[in-house]
Amino acid sequence: MKRYSEKYILTEEMKWENLGGGVSRKFLGYDNQIMMVQVKFEKGAEGAPHKHFHTQTTYVAAGKFEFIIDGVKQIVSAGDGVYMEPNLLHSAVCLEEGMLIDVFAPVREDFLDGSGVSYFGDKEA
């Protein structure tokens, strides 16, 4: 990880982290206010229902997904965007192998320190 300055952190050549259940992620950049994460899904992989206090926007870079947000189902494909308000229950199922770009505000400290529950199955080394 390269430090641009003491205040800002940029990621270069970060490795993919296998989250289990056909999902992997890579941090793209973050500071204490915002975080961008690239998430790869195999077909059929699921993000279990969960909620968090962070605001989340998601860009579908590739593939097709079924999201359920606060009980409302929607199908999204490459080029679509999704917004999740804080504390709304949401989940996703990958219908066609795909890639999401998630942006969170503030930063997901639980992602960085490993304290968060995995929404994708058991993490693998």
Side-chain angles (χ1 to χ4, degrees), residues 47-56 68-70 84-91 104 108 110-111 116-117 119:
H50 65 281
K51 59 184 174 178
H52 43 75
F53 70 87
H54 309 82
T55 297
Q56 178 179 347
I68 300 177
I69 304 169
D70 198 27
M84 273 80 60
E85 289 181 37
N87 300 308
L88 285 185
L89 188 65
H90 57 281
S91 62
F104 300 96
R108 291 291 304 258
D110 58 330
F111 283 8
V117 174
Y119 310 128

Side-chain angles (χ1 to χ4, degrees), residues 2-54:
K2 176 182 175 186
R3 287 194 177 270
Y4 175 73
S5 74
E6 287 306 307
K7 186 174 179 184
Y8 303 102
I9 298 173
L10 303 178
T11 54
E12 284 185 351
E13 301 176 16
M14 292 294 291
K15 296 187 192 261
W16 286 95
E17 177 185 8
N18 188 334
L19 301 176
V23 181
S24 299
R25 76 172 168 215
K26 177 168 67 168
F27 299 118
L28 297 179
Y30 60 91
D31 66 10
N32 62 344
Q33 297 298 312
I34 194 165
M35 171 180 266
M36 184 182 294
V37 181
Q38 187 174 11
V39 189
K40 264 194 293 195
F41 284 79
E42 296 174 6
K43 182 177 180 177
E46 298 183 26
H50 65 281
K51 59 184 174 178
H52 43 75
F53 70 87
H54 309 82

Side-chain angles (χ1 to χ4, degrees), residues 14 26 28 45 51 54 72 74 77 80 86 95 98-99 103:
M14 292 294 291
K26 177 168 67 168
L28 297 179
K51 59 184 174 178
H54 309 82
V72 177
Q74 56 185 320
S77 300
D80 292 336
L95 303 175
M99 182 86 62
V103 178

